[in-house]
Amino acid sequence: MKILALAASSSSTSINKQLATYAAGLVAGAEVEVLDINDYEMLIFSEDKEKEIGQPEQAKRFFQKIGEADAVVISYAEHNGSYATAFKNVFDWTSRIDMKVYQGKPVVMLATSPGPGGAATVLAAATGSAPYFAADVKGSLSVPSFYDNFDMEKGELRNEALISELKTIMSVL
C-alpha cells in the first residue's frame, strides 16, 4: 500500500506534518511518501489568473500524487479557525482540474495545534466538505495540546488514549 502523507501547512517545522508522518507510519508494510505543500506553491487562485495562465503544473502534479496513492493521510493546521492559506490555494487550484480532488481514495483526516482546541474547527470543515471532493473518509482525529501529547524526540504520540484511537483509525486503511 502506498500512503501519501501531508500537512495542510507551509511551516518548515509543521507539527501537522509530524502528526501525519507518524500516523501513516502506523500502517504496517506501507510505503509512505511525505509531501511538502511548499513544493506546490502557486499564484493566489482567481478565475482571472486561471484564464490568463491556465492550470499550473504544480496543481497537476499535486492531483497526480493523490491519484498515484492508495490512501491519503492529511493533517490540518488551523489559521484563525480555517484552512492555512498555502493549503487552501493548492486545493483551490487542484479542484479546478477536477472537483474530485481525492479521487475516491481512502482518507484519514487529522488536525493538531499547540492549544487545547486541537484545530478541531478546521477538521470539522474538512470532514464536512470531504464528500464533495470524493474523499472516502475512514476516520478523523483532533490532537489537542500537541506538545503535551507528542514526544518530539521520538516522533510519536505519548498519550495512550490518543495512540489507541489513532491506531484504530489507521487500521481501517
Side-chain angles (χ1 to χ4, degrees):
M1 169 178 276
K2 183 176 180 181
I3 298 176
L4 186 66
L6 67 134
S9 167
S10 60
S11 172
S12 64
T13 58
S14 172
I15 59 177
N16 281 283
K17 188 174 190 176
Q18 291 176 59
L19 180 59
T21 302
Y22 167 70
L26 294 175
V27 180
E31 173 190 338
V32 177
E33 180 178 0
V34 180
L35 207 69
D36 185 336
I37 66 165
N38 290 307
D39 294 337
Y40 300 88
E41 189 173 330
M42 296 170 265
L43 295 170
I44 299 294
F45 175 79
S46 75
E47 288 184 9
D48 292 339
K49 283 291 177 202
E50 184 180 35
K51 288 175 186 170
E52 180 185 330
I53 67 171
Q55 296 168 333
E57 286 304 312
Q58 298 95 318
K60 292 176 186 175
R61 285 189 292 116
F62 185 77
F63 186 75
Q64 182 180 352
K65 285 288 184 186
I66 293 171
E68 292 170 349
D70 296 312
V72 178
V73 175
I74 183 166
S75 189
Y76 294 91
E78 186 172 280
H79 292 188
N80 298 316
S82 192
Y83 299 97
T85 304
F87 173 76
K88 182 75 166 78
N89 193 52
V90 171
F91 192 85
D92 288 347
W93 274 111
T94 305
S95 73
R96 299 298 281 198
I97 295 168
D98 188 335
M99 281 295 292
K100 297 177 180 174
V101 172
Y102 294 107
Q103 304 168 53
K105 304 291 179 171
V107 179
V108 170
M109 294 186 168
L110 309 170
T112 192
S113 70
T121 303
V122 71
L123 183 59
T127 56
S129 67
Y132 300 106
F133 303 104
D136 179 12
V137 179
K138 296 299 186 185
S140 66
L141 178 66
S142 167
V143 175
S145 305
F146 181 79
Y147 296 104
D148 294 337
N149 290 308
F150 196 88
D151 186 320
M152 298 292 286
E153 288 182 21
K154 293 181 180 176
E156 63 188 26
L157 283 172
R158 62 174 140 224
N159 178 305
E160 290 301 323
L162 290 170
I163 292 168
S164 177
E165 190 171 351
L166 185 57
K167 283 182 176 181
T168 298
I169 292 168
M170 298 308 294
S171 73
V172 177
L173 296 180

